[in-house]
């Protein structure tokens, strides 16, 4: 069934949905025909009956809660170290049990394959010898750590915490946009926004039958304890943070509290005779597992960046010896490189002999001469991404760009092709959001579930962080670029 | 030839420091024509020395000194046997370039073919390449022999003219430098030609007055380039070229560690806690010696912890190393 | 759960800096009040003495208003009120999850308050109002701390910081005061000096408390006895030392060489102050006595650092 854009636009909805427009993107709440999807019916009815004023009050109450609980991120570049609450939208995003089942299976498969891939490239390099993935793409990646070659990691688990970004295509299919295999953040927003929503919409929450996510902290702790070095049955687990000036410090402190473990900084740790200790008032305490929220580069000034003051001298050698576990392992970033992304379906097939459950977005590599020509000829249509950037920086969104911007990116691509990829512009799905003025309008969203990898199987708490592009029409959901968050309800 | 090596490194701190952590890359490698028969490392203040082998087969010793100290001494003593390579011809066929290009395309030796921290191409480097007429006009081996000689002629060996962290442009402009600069400049040029090239840190047994001068830095460095089609079964060999001493490496060069450049394999590398500057003195003595009397067994060093995995990573690497041994 | 050394250290310094800011504000406020009533050369000398007794070394040639500005706001003066509060907040920020959110909120309010004054180029506010707000803000923080934070190890380090700073600051103040008047050898107080003695008591919020014990009849020996040896008055040296000793008893004894040193030193100082009688302090001996108190207090600080915070790794590993 096809419909013209006009047919969508002309459809009228009751208040507070009167400005709701449907278009080409998949809408989470409404069918293209304008009727509510059955699992959203409850919310739809609820919102129509709710006085506008009450919704506004709810929103205020939620903001207050976020602020009081200190659910904030730090804004850079001000000596005040100001803290802002992360913008959030009150209305939950719903995923059915059936959809979730597929997402879960797909992520489990994908992350397992990526973990096998990491183990392989840091040891035998079979996939490289077999020519499935070009060596150059690995060795030229700035996140490849040659120091990790031949290093044994506990249980062979390079990955522990993964946040994979999914989007929904216009046909409703979930596809993978990006893997975050280094130090993915945002899970604290998932957990706290659930607490807030349960308080604000208790009846609605109960009526919908939402799967709980509160066990994330315990599951994370269990996953980390499971990586304990041999002979340390009662491991001491700590969370290593760069400190209060890091923008994700709230999350570090939040997770440490959830797990009941120490939140440490590099200066709290010391390595002696290959053993890692933390300095406490009652003496040195041995540390066995480190959930580190510091990038590879900064973890040990002896082995990596010498100017790092966040790290611990000698930590890498203790890690190499197996006396302490780092989660995630060092060097996992090579597998979430945006150029490598294009090879992930092949990687899944290579290691697991399976077709990927979740597809990739079609991706062109500027490093390939043929694909580069195609990219350069279609800069007005593609989304071009710099391989080395994250957080929505270094990106060209073709259809929303000027001629000059396109030309500038064209030059950059020719200069440094390895650093760019291009993907067709995909309209992320839309979901109802409460906007200024009291109306409810569609905004673009994505989904970042958090995967706790434990080997062949993973624990994925049902839900994730739904990120919203709060500006009308915007496709950029990153919090650094005006994005916000939404609670994600996976139904029973 | 048998050599005994004594390598003394002393750090003197301007005020007391603590929590020194240090890595040492001094143990002569055991492979192919070189065998390390004995190696001991003494550290004062006393510390428990541990070691690992990295994926390139370098042995890295490390230790920490937690308490306060004003000075730190590392004394390495080794006995090593070195044989000169016999199977390096004067030249190889021009077709060797095709083999090199194929190797390049495979990415197997990627890290020795691209720019690295100290071996960066620059306008100055290209100027020198032009001046020395460094181009693929002759076969790779002849070219490298010639380049070694040209380097020796174009640069003056000048101790203390550069610091360890000087970029090569400094030496390129002044045409003076130490063995590290010679090596880095040559590596950058050789990689620029599409020949895999790596940095070797080690010791040289000096035979002449002139050579001892070149050893004022005590430790030495040179380069190795990958030449296809030679060696046993024509599998290719890493051939050592020493632009500082103007020679192809034979049985006077003792290899301690290999890497992309100096940054990968400094003899010592460490950090400490404290507001102090450190003064470093190094003394190295390399003497010919008799074969050790009885046992050729090495001093047994206990490996640190349970890192029992293969230090050699990529299987191709492993194969290449083994082939060299035949 | 064990406390990280760094966390306890930050709590300790947070508390010390805040105590210092409060002390400086209190002393300055009282002396500005005194100045309103005197304009003699003695008053100028007295003003100088007050500045040095705060441990300050101001640059030459500042006018009085400039000097007040310098003591209150100058960021280049590491002991200025605004510097102290900034350091206190920086430390609090490092350990937010170990304090109550009410504490953080209060120190933040105080910080923004003093900073909003400090950024004005030509500050024309009323110093007394500002100084009182600092004092009140610090008192409020202490009250909030005591009533919203668990009195565990972290809180003990907050106590320790507060009272170590108090012993230091108070003994410095007393030392300068008594050195001046002992030199004049008076056993009674003449009319001109009267206000300075009241000033001393008031700058330790001790005037009313003193009067309750000794009436308003001011005698140097009694003032000294009260400020040194009162076991009940919170700004007396003995009271502060008692608190330090109490903290030491509450902290776990470290299983390390010299692990009981902080407790031993604190106990020794407590005993000294508890059993000393005024007549045992030799005439003119106040200075030596106070210097000894300061020295012992510094020893306690160093021992605490050495045992709980910045202990040598080698010894700790062997333990």
């Amino acid at each position: 069934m096809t419909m013209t854009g006009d047919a969508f636009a002309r459809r009228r909805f009751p208040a507070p949905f009167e400005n709701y427009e449907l278009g080409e993107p998949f809408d989470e709440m409404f069918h293209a025909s304008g009727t509510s999807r059955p699992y959203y019916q409850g919310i739809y009815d609820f919102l129509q009956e709710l006085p506008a004023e009450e919704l506004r009050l709810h929103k205020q109450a939620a903001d207050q809660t976020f602020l009081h609980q200190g659910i904030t991120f730090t804004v850079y570049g001000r000596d005040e170290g100001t803290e802002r609450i992360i913008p959030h939208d009150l209305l939950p995003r719903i995923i059915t049990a059936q959809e979730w089942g597929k997402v879960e299976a797909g992520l489990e498969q994908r992350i397992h394959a990526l973990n096998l891939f990491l183990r392989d490239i840091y040891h035998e390099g079979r996939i490289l010898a077999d020519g499935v993935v070009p060596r150059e793409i690995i060795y030229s990646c700035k996140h490849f750590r040659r120091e990790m070659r031949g290093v044994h990691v506990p249980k062979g688990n390079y990955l522990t915490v993964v946040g994979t970004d999914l989007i929904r295509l216009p046909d409703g299919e979930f596809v993978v946009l990006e893997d975050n295999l280094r130090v993915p953040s945002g899970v604290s927003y998932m957990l706290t926004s659930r607490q807030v929503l349960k308080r604000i919409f208790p009846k609605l929450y109960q009526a919908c039958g939402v799967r709980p996510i509160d066990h994330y902290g315990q599951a994370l702790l269990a996953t980390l304890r499971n990586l304990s070095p041999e002979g340390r049955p009662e491991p001491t687990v700590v969370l290593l943070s760069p400190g209060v000036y890091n923008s994700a410090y709230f999350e570090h402190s939040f997770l440490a509290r959830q797990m009941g473990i120490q939140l440490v900084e590099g200066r709290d740790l010391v390595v002696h005779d290959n053993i890692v200790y933390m300095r406490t008032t009652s003496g040195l305490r041995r540390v066995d597992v480190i959930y580190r929220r510091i990038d590879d580069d900064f973890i040990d000034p002896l082995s990596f960046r010498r100017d790092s003051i966040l790290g611990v001298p000698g930590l890498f050698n203790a890690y190499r010896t197996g006396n302490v576990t780092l989660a995630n392992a060092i060097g996992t970033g090579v597998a979430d490189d945006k150029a490598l992304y294009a090879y992930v379906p092949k990687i899944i097939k290579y290691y697991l002999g399976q077709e990927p459950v979740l597809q990739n977005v079609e991706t062109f590599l500027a490093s390939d001469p043929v694909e580069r020509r195609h990219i350069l000829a279609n800069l007005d249509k593609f989304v071009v991404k710099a391989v080395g950037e994250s957080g929505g920086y270094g990106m060209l969104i073709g259809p929303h760009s000027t001629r000059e911007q396109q030309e500038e990116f064209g030059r950059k691509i020719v200069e440094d092709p390895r650093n760019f990829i291009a993907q067709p512009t995909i309209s992320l799905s839309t979901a109802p959001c409460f906007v200024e003025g009291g109306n409810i309008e569609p905004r673009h969203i994505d989904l970042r579930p958090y995967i706790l990898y434990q080997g062949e199987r993973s624990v994925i708490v049902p839900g994730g962080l739904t990120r919203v592009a709060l500006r009308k029409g915007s496709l950029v959901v990153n919090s650094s670029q005006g994005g916000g968050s939404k609670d994600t309800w996976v139904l029973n | 030839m048998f050599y005994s090596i004594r390598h003394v490194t002393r750090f003197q701190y301007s005020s007391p420091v603590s929590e020194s952590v240090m890595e040492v890359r001094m143990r002569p490698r055991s492979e192919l024509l070189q065998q390390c028969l004995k190696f001991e490392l003494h550290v004062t203040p006393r510390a428990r020395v541990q070691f690992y082998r990295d994926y390139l087969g370098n042995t890295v010793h490390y230790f920490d000194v937690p308490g306060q100290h004003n000075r730190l001494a590392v004394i390495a003593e080794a006995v090593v046997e070195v044989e000169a390579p016999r199977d390096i011809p004067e030249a190889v066929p021009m077709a060797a370039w095709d083999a090199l290009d194929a190797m390049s395309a495979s990415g197997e030796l990627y890290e020795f073919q691209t720019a690295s921290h100290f071996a960066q191409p620059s306008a100055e480097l290209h100027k020198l390449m032009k001046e020395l007429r460094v181009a693929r006009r002759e076969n790779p081996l002849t070219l490298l022999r010639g380049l070694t000689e040209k380097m020796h002629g174009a640069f003056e060996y000048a101790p203390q003219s550069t610091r360890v962290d000087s970029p090569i442009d400094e030496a390129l402009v002044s045409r003076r430098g130490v063995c590290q600069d010679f090596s880095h400049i040559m590596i950058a040029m050789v990689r620029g030609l599409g020949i895999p090239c790596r940095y070797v840190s080690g010791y040289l047994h000096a035979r002449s007055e002139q050579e001892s001068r070149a050893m004022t830095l005590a430790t030495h460095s040179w380069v190795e380039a990958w030449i296809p089609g030679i060696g046993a079964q024509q599998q290719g060999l890493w051939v050592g070229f020493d632009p500082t001493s103007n020679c192809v490496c034979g049985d006077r060069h003792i290899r301690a560690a290999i890497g992309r450049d100096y940054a990968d394999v400094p003899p010592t590398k460490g950090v400490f806690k404290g507001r102090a500057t450190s003064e470093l003195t190094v003394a190295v003595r390399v003497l010919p010696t008799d074969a050790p009397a009885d046992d050729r067994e090495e001093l047994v060093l206990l490996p640190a912890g349970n890192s029992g995995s293969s230090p050699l990573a990529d299987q191709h690497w492993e194969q290449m190393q083994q082939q060299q041994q035949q | 759960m064990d406390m990280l050394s760094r966390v306890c250290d930050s709590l300790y310094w947070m508390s010390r800096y805040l105590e210092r800011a409060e002390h400086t504000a209190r002393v300055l406020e009282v002396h500005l009040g005194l100045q309103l009533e005197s304009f003699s050369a003695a008053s100028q000398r007295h003003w100088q003495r007050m500045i040095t007794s705060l441990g300050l070394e101001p640059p030459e040639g500042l006018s009085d208003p400039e000097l007040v500005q310098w003591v209150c706001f100058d960021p280049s003066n590491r002991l200025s009120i605004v510097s102290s509060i900034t350091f206190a907040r920086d430390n609090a920020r490092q350990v937010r999850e170990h304090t109550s959110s009410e504490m953080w909120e209060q120190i933040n309010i105080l910080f923004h308050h003093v900073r909003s004054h400090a950024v004005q180029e030509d500050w024309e506010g009323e110093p007394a109002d500002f100084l009182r707000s600092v004092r009140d803000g610090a008192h409020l923080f202490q009250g909030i701390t005591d009533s919203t934070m668990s009195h565990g190890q972290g809180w003990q380090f907050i106590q320790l910081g507060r009272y170590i700073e108090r012993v230091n600051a108070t003994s410095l103040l007393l030392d300068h005061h008594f050195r001046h008047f002992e030199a004049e050898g008076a056993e009674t107080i003449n009319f001109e000096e009267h206000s300075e003695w009241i000033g001393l008591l008031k700058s330790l919020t001790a005037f009313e408390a003193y009067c309750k014990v000794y009436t308003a009849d001011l005698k140097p020996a009694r003032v000294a006895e009260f400020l040194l040896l009162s076991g009940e008055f919170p700004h007396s040296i003995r009271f502060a030392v008692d608190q330090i000793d109490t903290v030491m008893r509450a902290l776990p004894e470290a299983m390390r060489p010299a692990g009981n040193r902080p407790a031993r030193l604190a106990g020794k100082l407590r005993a000294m102050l508890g059993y000393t009688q005024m007549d045992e302090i030799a005439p003119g001996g106040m200075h030596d006595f106070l210097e000894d108190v300061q020295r012992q207090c510094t020893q306690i600080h160093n021992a605490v650092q050495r045992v709980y915070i910045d202990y040598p790794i080698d010894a700790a590993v062997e333990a």
Side-chain angles (χ1 to χ4, degrees):
Chain A
M1 181 180 69
T2 46
M3 270 198 182
T4 65
D6 285 20
F8 292 125
R10 239 177 273 124
R11 192 167 171 96
R12 301 291 298 184
F13 290 96
F17 290 86
E18 59 265 50
N19 292 340
Y20 211 96
E21 288 173 26
L22 293 174
E24 190 202 350
F26 181 89
D27 188 80
E28 300 284 338
M29 186 178 236
F30 296 106
H31 290 293
S33 63
T35 54
S36 164
R37 297 184 193 278
Y39 45 93
Y40 264 105
Q41 191 66 46
I43 294 186
Y44 189 40
D45 296 342
F46 174 80
L47 290 171
Q48 286 178 61
E49 285 156 22
L50 195 70
E53 184 53 26
E54 205 162 313
L55 195 55
R56 223 187 328 270
L57 289 175
H58 281 322
K59 167 79 177 152
Q60 265 174 17
D63 283 351
Q64 283 293 317
T65 314
F66 275 100
L67 195 63
H68 285 163
Q69 295 200 349
I71 303 162
T72 53
F73 67 100
T74 310
V75 183
Y76 280 122
R78 294 193 181 196
D79 64 343
E80 299 274 327
T82 46
E83 285 138 42
R84 304 247 178 94
I85 59 168
I86 184 171
H88 67 107
D89 182 73
L90 271 190
L91 308 181
R93 179 255 184 96
I94 291 182
I95 297 173
T96 63
Q98 191 195 358
E99 285 171 330
W100 182 254
K102 185 175 171 188
V103 165
E104 205 170 24
L107 290 173
E108 205 161 58
Q109 175 198 50
R110 187 176 177 99
I111 303 310
H112 185 46
L114 286 172
N115 190 70
L116 294 173
F117 170 74
L118 283 164
R119 189 171 357 175
D120 187 20
I121 59 163
Y122 285 119
H123 288 88
E124 306 85 22
R126 283 193 296 125
I127 198 168
L128 307 179
D130 290 341
V132 178
V133 174
R135 280 197 175 85
E136 188 179 347
I137 224 167
I138 304 301
Y139 296 147
S140 67
C141 175
K142 69 173 181 180
H143 297 298
F144 175 72
R145 299 287 160 204
R146 55 199 291 281
E147 297 84 352
M148 281 295 288
R149 293 176 79 165
V151 173
H152 169 76
V153 308
K155 301 200 158 56
N157 290 4
Y158 285 77
L159 300 172
T160 301
V161 182
V162 173
T164 295
D165 294 338
L166 304 175
I167 58 171
R168 237 200 241 261
L169 298 180
D171 64 3
E173 213 39 43
F174 276 107
V175 293
V176 176
L177 188 62
E178 208 169 288
D179 301 288
N180 295 289
L181 308 176
R182 280 168 281 160
V183 284
S185 63
V187 75
S188 58
Y189 301 133
M190 167 181 95
L191 296 169
T192 48
S193 73
R194 172 63 57 88
Q195 287 168 11
V196 169
L197 247 72
K198 271 203 290 200
R199 200 169 313 154
I200 291 180
F201 300 128
K203 289 197 183 113
L204 187 64
Y205 180 78
Q206 198 180 18
C208 285
V210 184
R211 292 179 62 186
I213 55 172
D214 309 335
H215 55 291
Y216 181 83
Q218 287 153 275
L220 175 57
L221 181 62
T223 310
L224 292 166
R225 287 174 61 97
N226 188 37
L227 296 174
S228 180
E230 267 173 60
R232 302 288 298 170
E234 285 299 319
T236 300
V237 182
V238 300
L239 191 153
L240 175 62
S241 163
V244 289
Y245 300 104
N246 187 271
S247 60
Y249 184 73
F250 160 71
E251 176 155 309
H252 305 160
S253 140
F254 176 87
L255 289 174
R257 265 181 284 136
Q258 291 275 314
M259 291 188 275
I261 63 173
Q262 288 279 12
L263 173 65
V264 303
E265 297 179 20
R267 54 197 165 133
D268 295 321
L269 300 181
V270 59
V271 181
H272 176 59
D273 283 350
N274 247 352
I275 306 286
V276 183
Y277 301 93
M278 61 178 157
R279 295 168 201 259
T280 76
T281 50
S282 19
L284 294 178
R285 289 279 167 276
R286 180 165 174 176
V287 171
D288 303 295
V289 180
I290 300 177
Y291 177 35
R292 50 104 176 195
R293 298 290 299 254
I294 293 187
D295 290 337
D296 289 355
D297 266 343
F298 295 97
I299 208 128
D300 179 354
L302 186 66
S303 297
F304 301 104
R305 267 179 72 156
R306 280 187 75 84
D307 57 347
S308 167
I309 48 164
L310 305 173
V312 187
L315 179 57
F316 187 66
N317 282 339
Y319 172 63
R320 180 205 311 276
T321 314
N323 290 342
V324 69
T325 305
L326 296 175
N328 295 349
I330 305 271
T332 54
V334 66
D336 69 15
D337 180 276
K338 289 191 177 74
L340 184 85
Y341 165 88
Y343 292 91
V344 176
K346 287 183 187 166
I347 289 173
I348 294 173
K349 217 175 279 180
Y350 182 81
Y351 293 108
L352 305 178
Q354 299 166 358
E355 289 300 320
V357 177
L358 292 170
Q359 299 302 319
N360 262 12
V361 175
E362 187 183 18
T363 301
F364 300 93
L365 301 178
S367 53
D368 180 292
V370 178
E371 297 188 3
R372 179 163 64 241
R373 268 200 299 283
H374 183 60
I375 296 170
L376 292 172
N378 294 285
L379 283 173
D380 55 334
K381 299 186 190 73
F382 280 135
V383 173
V384 181
K385 294 176 180 174
V387 169
E389 304 281 347
S390 62
Y393 293 104
M395 213 158 96
L396 174 83
I397 299 183
H400 297 182
S401 64
T402 63
R403 218 183 169 103
E404 289 75 47
Q405 287 169 331
Q406 291 167 26
E407 278 165 12
E408 191 199 328
F409 258 78
R411 273 194 303 277
K412 285 194 204 162
I413 291 170
V414 173
E415 261 170 42
D416 187 6
R418 166 67 176 87
N419 196 30
F420 291 94
I421 60 153
Q423 293 167 338
T425 309
I426 295 166
S427 282
L428 315 181
S429 63
T430 56
C433 289
F434 180 59
V435 299
E436 293 279 322
N439 276 323
I440 291 172
E441 292 179 15
R443 291 288 183 269
H444 291 291
I445 59 167
D446 77 350
L447 174 66
R448 176 182 288 183
Y450 294 90
I451 302 101
L452 298 173
Y453 178 72
Q454 299 181 338
E456 304 231 341
R457 49 177 292 278
S458 295
V459 172
I460 309 175
V461 288
L465 181 67
T466 291
R467 299 188 299 176
V468 194
L470 288 170
R471 263 183 304 127
K472 187 172 184 174
S474 167
L475 293 171
V476 185
V477 296
N478 307 81
S479 58
S480 48
Q481 310 257 316
S485 73
K486 246 178 184 314
D487 194 14
T488 310
W489 290 4
V490 174
L491 304 185
N492 279 319
Chain B
M1 284 294 290
F2 292 94
Y3 298 100
S4 75
I5 303 165
R6 184 179 159 84
H7 183 170
V8 181
T9 310
R10 292 182 199 280
F11 295 88
Q12 174 79 45
Y13 303 102
S14 59
S15 55
V17 302
S18 61
E19 292 171 46
S20 280
V21 184
M22 190 164 278
E23 280 188 349
V24 176
R25 289 169 172 81
M26 293 182 182
R27 186 187 194 281
R29 294 169 61 97
S30 284
E31 64 189 332
L32 317 176
L33 302 170
Q34 174 179 307
Q35 291 297 319
C36 179
L37 306 175
K38 179 181 165 227
F39 183 77
E40 281 175 47
L41 196 71
H42 304 281
V43 178
T44 12
R46 250 179 53 192
R48 193 167 143 212
V49 179
Q50 322 207 34
F51 77 96
Y52 67 89
R53 293 227 303 157
D54 71 12
Y55 74 98
L56 292 173
N58 302 313
T59 302
V60 185
H61 291 87
Y62 60 99
F63 58 85
D64 70 278
V65 178
Q68 273 209 343
H69 50 286
N70 283 308
R71 58 185 67 131
L72 181 65
V74 178
I75 300 173
E77 295 193 77
V79 175
V80 63
E81 180 183 10
V82 187
E83 264 178 72
R86 286 172 301 266
D87 39 10
I88 300 171
E90 267 311 302
V92 292
M94 279 301 274
W97 288 115
D98 301 332
L100 284 170
D101 289 341
M103 165 72 85
S104 230
S106 80
E108 271 175 70
L109 293 176
Y110 182 85
E111 65 176 349
F112 297 126
Q113 291 181 300
T114 43
S116 57
H117 185 81
F118 283 113
Q120 297 278 352
S122 67
E124 285 296 329
L125 185 83
H126 288 124
K127 225 168 82 188
L128 179 71
M129 285 179 82
K130 220 173 221 162
E131 186 187 313
L132 300 183
R133 300 165 50 82
V134 181
R136 287 188 170 194
R137 267 185 289 264
E138 48 211 337
N139 72 77
L141 190 51
T142 309
L143 187 154
L144 289 168
R145 287 177 183 277
L147 177 57
T148 307
E149 196 177 328
K150 287 176 191 168
M151 280 287 304
H152 185 73
F155 285 83
E156 184 193 341
Y157 183 85
Q160 262 121 52
S161 55
T162 54
R163 299 181 317 273
V164 286
D165 54 352
S166 296
I168 55 172
D169 269 7
E170 233 170 76
L172 277 167
V173 171
S174 68
R175 294 295 161 94
R176 293 150 59 86
V178 297
C179 58
Q180 270 169 27
D181 304 302
F182 283 65
S183 303
H184 288 150
I185 291 167
M186 182 149 170
I187 289 170
M189 286 196 284
V190 174
R191 288 183 190 162
L193 289 165
I195 305 175
C197 190
R198 64 194 190 186
Y199 180 95
V200 188
S201 149
Y203 307 96
L204 173 68
H205 174 236
R207 269 188 205 150
S208 65
E209 191 60 24
Q210 194 203 355
E211 274 182 2
S212 328
R213 257 200 316 120
M215 292 283 297
T216 36
L217 261 185
T219 52
H220 193 50
S221 75
W222 58 95
V223 312
E224 283 180 351
W226 174 255
I227 305 295
I230 61 170
Q233 296 164 12
Q234 282 80 53
Q235 294 287 345
L237 272 186
W238 286 100
V239 180
F241 300 91
D242 182 347
T244 318
S245 319
N246 187 18
C247 64
V248 174
C249 300
D251 60 3
R252 296 185 300 128
H253 285 77
I254 301 145
R255 305 154 77 244
I258 54 178
R260 290 168 299 182
D261 58 36
Y262 174 80
D264 285 347
V265 288
T268 56
K269 174 169 138 183
V271 294
F272 57 79
K273 201 166 130 181
R275 286 179 194 282
T277 53
S278 76
E279 200 178 299
L280 167 69
T281 48
V282 182
V284 173
R285 193 196 59 199
V286 182
L287 291 176
T289 182
D290 294 328
D294 41 17
D295 56 336
R296 285 190 148 210
E297 274 169 39
E298 308 183 22
L299 182 78
V300 179
L301 282 165
L302 291 173
N306 60 358
S307 85
S309 61
S310 157
L312 297 167
D314 198 316
Q315 204 149 36
H316 280 259
W317 256 111
E318 205 162 3
Q319 283 166 9
M320 214 172 294
Q321 306 269 359
Q322 286 162 353
Q323 281 153 8
Q324 275 183 289
Q325 286 171 347
Q326 290 163 351
Chain C
M1 185 153 61
D2 292 333
M3 289 283 288
L4 289 173
S5 299
R6 167 181 58 84
V7 170
C8 289
D9 197 38
S10 284
L11 292 171
Y12 173 80
W13 284 108
M14 169 194 80
S15 177
R16 271 196 86 153
Y17 279 121
L18 212 60
E19 176 71 19
R20 166 171 288 280
E22 193 259 350
H23 177 83
T24 304
R26 182 164 22 82
V27 172
L28 192 58
E29 187 190 348
V30 168
H31 284 83
L32 284 174
L34 284 181
Q35 271 212 315
L36 296 176
E37 296 164 354
S38 59
F39 31 85
S40 60
S43 125
Q44 193 56 38
R45 276 207 320 275
H46 168 232
W47 175 245
Q48 282 303 328
R49 206 165 61 238
M50 188 274 294
I51 294 292
T52 36
S53 72
L54 287 171
L56 297 171
E57 289 172 10
E60 297 280 319
L62 293 185
S63 66
D64 285 2
E66 282 170 343
L67 199 57
V68 173
Q69 277 256 42
W70 183 81
V71 175
C72 291
F73 300 129
D74 199 324
S76 70
N77 171 9
R78 288 182 56 85
L79 302 178
S80 70
I81 290 174
V82 86
S83 297
S84 296
I85 288 176
T86 305
F87 291 136
R89 178 184 181 264
D90 281 352
N91 276 291
R93 189 167 150 68
Q94 302 282 336
V95 292
R96 263 189 73 176
E97 60 283 343
H98 297 274
T99 59
S100 67
S101 40
E102 289 86 353
M103 287 165 70
W104 169 246
E105 200 175 306
Q106 172 55 21
I107 201 162
N108 224 8
I109 289 171
L110 184 58
F111 167 76
H112 287 296
H113 171 70
V114 297
R115 254 180 71 105
S116 67
H117 284 285
V119 291
Q120 296 169 21
E121 275 286 308
D122 298 301
W123 185 66
E124 287 178 350
E126 179 55 61
D129 290 346
F130 171 76
L131 295 167
R132 188 171 314 121
S133 68
V134 169
R135 209 186 50 182
D136 290 348
H139 286 159
L140 186 53
F141 181 80
Q142 285 166 1
I144 288 173
T145 300
D146 292 349
S147 57
T148 61
M149 182 181 180
S150 294
H151 289 202
Q153 230 184 83
W155 183 82
Q156 300 289 358
F157 274 90
I158 291 178
Q159 289 286 95
L160 187 65
R162 178 193 304 172
Y163 288 107
I164 289 216
E165 183 63 30
R166 189 169 293 179
V167 172
N168 267 330
T170 308
S171 52
L172 201 62
L173 188 70
L174 295 182
D175 191 14
H176 281 88
H177 182 92
F178 281 94
R179 235 190 299 181
H180 174 74
F181 285 100
E182 277 179 349
E184 300 188 351
E187 279 184 27
T188 52
I189 298 168
N190 68 35
F191 174 74
E192 271 172 45
E193 293 163 354
H194 196 257
S195 67
E196 291 199 37
W197 286 90
I198 291 182
L200 174 69
L201 285 166
K202 281 195 169 165
S203 45
L204 294 169
T205 60
F207 184 60
E208 289 170 22
Y210 174 89
C211 291
K212 279 190 188 132
V213 180
Y214 298 106
T215 73
D217 181 16
L218 297 190
K219 291 234 161 55
R222 288 184 185 171
V223 173
E225 179 170 46
F226 187 69
L227 295 179
L228 273 182
L229 302 178
S230 163
E232 290 162 1
F233 179 65
H235 278 275
S236 85
I237 301 231
R238 179 178 162 197
F239 184 94
V241 168
D242 285 356
Q243 297 299 316
I244 292 170
D245 185 56
T246 308
V247 169
M248 286 309 151
R249 287 161 197 273
L251 288 181
E253 187 177 309
M255 289 296 135
R256 283 187 286 285
N260 64 354
R261 189 171 153 80
R264 237 166 10 85
L265 289 168
K268 198 171 111 192
L269 184 55
R270 181 180 195 161
M272 176 176 120
L273 286 157
Y275 294 109
T276 296
Q277 305 263 324
M278 255 343 264
D279 53 15
E280 291 167 356
I281 300 174
M286 269 296 267
H287 172 66
D288 290 344
F289 186 80
L290 287 167
E291 215 175 45
D292 191 31
V293 169
Q294 281 181 43
R295 190 180 51 79
Q296 293 197 43
C297 195
T298 306
Q299 282 179 341
I300 295 172
H301 165 87
N302 289 339
V304 167
Q305 286 286 322
R306 193 90 181 141
V307 168
Y308 296 104
I309 309 293
D310 195 18
Y311 46 81
I313 299 305
D314 39 350
V317 166
E318 281 153 24

